[in-house]
Amino acid sequence: MNAFRYTPPGGFVCMEVEKISKSFLEIRVIDSGEGIAEEDLPNIFDRFFHRDSQTKQTGKHPKGSGLGLTIAKALVNTMGGEISASSAPGEGTCIQFTLPISVDSTFLE
């Protein structure tokens, strides 16, 4: 949802899926949105985190609750994957995560 929220009209949001090993897929959500400042990037998966730049630019409270990426990280980690992000202001953002192709049945018990 963030990819659509922060990409202006005329921009793009795409998803790529790649098998990176016998056991894992990597999924990437890439957008051409406003990007994230380097100093904010380490915090985007923290609960209730909002970029200060949002408030400075608009004078309004940031969009969203600050929980989406926190929940995504918890889900990915619970399923045995990893999640990370790369971004630069004005150049868009890529959220990438890995997921196991199959789950050990003991995980589901």
Side-chain angles (χ1 to χ4, degrees):
M1 191 63 157
N2 288 346
F4 292 105
R5 181 176 285 153
Y6 295 107
T7 299
F12 69 85
V13 176
C14 68
M15 179 186 257
E16 298 175 350
V17 180
E18 178 182 359
K19 186 175 180 180
I20 58 172
S21 72
K22 279 178 48 176
S23 303
F24 283 91
L25 293 175
E26 181 174 80
I27 298 97
R28 294 177 292 277
V29 179
I30 304 163
D31 68 50
S32 63
E34 60 192 52
I36 302 167
E38 185 178 345
E39 65 269 13
D40 290 336
L41 208 49
N43 304 310
I44 65 170
F45 296 103
D46 295 345
R47 189 175 2 171
F48 303 120
F49 177 76
H50 288 284
R51 297 177 290 156
D52 289 338
S53 60
Q54 290 174 321
T55 303
K56 289 176 188 171
Q57 289 173 358
T58 64
K60 299 178 188 174
H61 188 290
K63 303 172 189 174
S65 65
L67 291 174
L69 288 173
T70 303
I71 293 168
K73 181 178 181 177
L75 288 170
V76 168
N77 291 161
T78 298
M79 290 186 277
E82 296 180 3
I83 189 168
S84 62
S86 56
S87 186
E91 297 183 20
T93 300
C94 177
I95 304 292
Q96 59 263 352
F97 57 98
T98 59
L99 291 175
I101 293 173
S102 63
V103 179
D104 180 7
S105 62
T106 59
F107 173 79
L108 300 174
E109 296 175 359

